Amino acid sequence: MTIRIVRLGSPRESDEGLRIGTVRRPPRGVKKEEYASKNIYDVWFPNLSPSEALLKEASPQKDEKSWKAFKHKFMAEMKLPEARRILDLFAAL
């Protein structure tokens, strides 16, 4: 199973599969029923959201370089024990 990090609202890849929203708060102004159709996410799972510190540091991402830096730091957070256990569970499913 491949796990990718994508921006909310970015176009889906043809083979993407389930999009899990790992954001602390759902987007404002969008009905829950529209999340999937607007390429936001299919299921909300904030347990894997970026830390508050990372979000403050990275916001707003103005260009591709800052997005790549954010992804790199977020991947480092996903290697911490709690996140790793959750990802292992997803992989086992």
Side-chain angles (χ1 to χ4, degrees), residues 5 7-8 16 18 21-22 35 37 46 54 57 62 71 75 85-87 92-93:
I5 298 172
R7 289 184 188 192
L8 292 178
E16 186 172 316
L18 183 69
T22 60
Y35 288 167
S37 66
L54 178 57
E57 175 187 329
K62 298 176 180 150
K71 281 176 50 175
M75 290 295 290
R85 286 189 295 274
I86 293 169
L87 293 171
L93 293 173

Side-chain angles (χ1 to χ4, degrees), residues 7-72:
R7 289 184 188 192
L8 292 178
S10 63
R12 290 179 186 255
E13 300 289 325
S14 60
D15 63 340
E16 186 172 316
L18 183 69
R19 187 174 277 197
I20 301 170
T22 60
V23 293
R24 292 195 172 273
R25 293 170 202 88
R28 294 185 214 168
V30 180
K31 295 178 182 177
K32 290 179 184 179
E33 303 82 35
E34 296 177 352
Y35 288 167
S37 66
K38 293 188 181 234
N39 292 328
I40 297 174
Y41 51 74
D42 300 311
V43 179
W44 183 40
F45 193 71
N47 305 55
L48 289 177
S49 64
S51 66
E52 286 286 342
L54 178 57
L55 290 175
K56 286 179 184 177
E57 175 187 329
S59 184
Q61 290 127 22
K62 298 176 180 150
D63 55 25
E64 193 60 30
K65 183 179 178 183
S66 61
W67 172 244
K68 286 182 181 181
F70 170 80
K71 281 176 50 175
H72 179 76

